[in-house]
Amino acid sequence: TPTVGMVGVLKDVDQRCDMAFKGQGDLVVLLGRVRQELGGSEYLSVCYGLETGEVPETYLEEEKELLQLVQTLIHNQILQSCHDISEGGLAVTVAESSIKGRIGCHIKLNCGEFSKVGILFSEAPGRVVASVKRADLDRLVQTVVEFGVEMRIIGTVGGDQLVFEDNGTEIIRLAVQEASETWEGAIGCFMK
């Protein structure tokens, strides 16, 4: 399998942003378009044993705008955390940010015409989950508008549970500790 490894140089270590959720009450935001493609996803592989479907398309101009936005937000110290949506989709991205931060979150989706499974597990590129202090929300919105990137507030950081709901109906509830133990034990479990 062809593999590409990339390394970058961070000129100023203070200009970094990791994926860990930080503070109680911080807002969780989705930057980038809502997408629900499941082709080639972990969801199809793990749940149905399928490695099929069209791989989600990459929109290079949108990717460029999103990356420039994220760099600006980090440079201006607006974000508390930032994590790209990739393997496992939105649900796994949020779980990883909670696990790394050892803090829960409450995500409120309004899937509407979209599939819940598609929203939660699509690995389509061009999207990130970030967290921001409430006091920095206006600065975030102003910068996002300048770059023309879609943004949705999808939840809040806090507690010791990972909770997802759709239109007021709870669809996932998992203790951060339990998620952490599963995540950290994945390699050992796989090797058995």
Side-chain angles (χ1 to χ4, degrees):
T1 301
T3 304
V4 176
M6 300 178 82
V7 177
V9 175
L10 189 59
K11 293 178 184 174
D12 181 356
V13 74
D14 292 328
Q15 292 290 311
R16 70 185 187 285
C17 185
D18 64 23
M19 71 170 143
F21 287 153
K22 307 284 187 304
Q24 295 276 351
D26 286 353
L27 298 171
V28 180
V29 297
L30 172 64
L31 299 172
R33 278 191 299 127
V34 172
R35 299 185 58 189
Q36 62 175 352
E37 301 98 322
L38 290 172
S41 67
E42 275 295 292
Y43 172 78
L44 288 180
S45 178
V46 170
C47 294
Y48 297 100
L50 298 173
E51 293 185 16
T52 187
E54 286 189 35
V55 175
E57 193 167 337
T58 299
Y59 299 95
L60 295 179
E61 197 57 41
E62 288 181 24
E63 288 274 354
K64 180 181 173 185
E65 290 167 356
L66 178 66
L67 292 173
Q68 289 173 337
L69 168 64
V70 169
Q71 287 177 330
T72 300
L73 293 170
I74 292 170
H75 177 75
N76 293 332
Q77 299 181 330
I78 294 173
L79 300 182
Q80 292 297 298
S81 70
C82 187
H83 187 13
D84 67 308
I85 294 178
S86 57
E87 188 175 35
L90 174 69
V92 172
T93 299
V94 168
E96 289 174 344
S97 292
S98 281
I99 289 166
K100 284 295 190 179
R102 302 285 187 206
I103 190 170
C105 63
H106 193 131
I107 304 298
K108 295 181 178 182
L109 305 172
N110 292 306
C111 295
E113 75 274 12
F114 296 109
S115 151
K116 281 189 275 266
V117 168
I119 297 296
L120 289 170
F121 300 109
S122 171
E123 298 172 3
R127 303 169 303 143
V128 299
V129 171
S131 63
V132 60
K133 292 180 179 177
R134 289 177 187 271
D136 290 329
L137 180 60
D138 289 343
R139 291 174 59 212
L140 172 67
V141 170
Q142 180 181 0
T143 308
V144 168
V145 168
E146 288 172 14
F147 280 86
V149 173
E150 287 187 35
M151 182 194 101
R152 294 172 187 247
I153 298 171
I154 60 171
T156 55
V157 175
D160 63 357
Q161 303 281 311
L162 285 162
V163 179
F164 289 80
E165 65 177 57
D166 178 35
N167 289 317
T169 301
E170 191 174 288
I171 54 177
I172 298 173
R173 176 178 290 273
L174 181 65
V176 174
Q177 182 63 35
E178 183 181 347
S180 181
E181 289 168 2
T182 301
W183 187 75
E184 290 168 356
I187 293 176
C189 181
F190 182 76
M191 300 301 280
K192 287 182 181 178

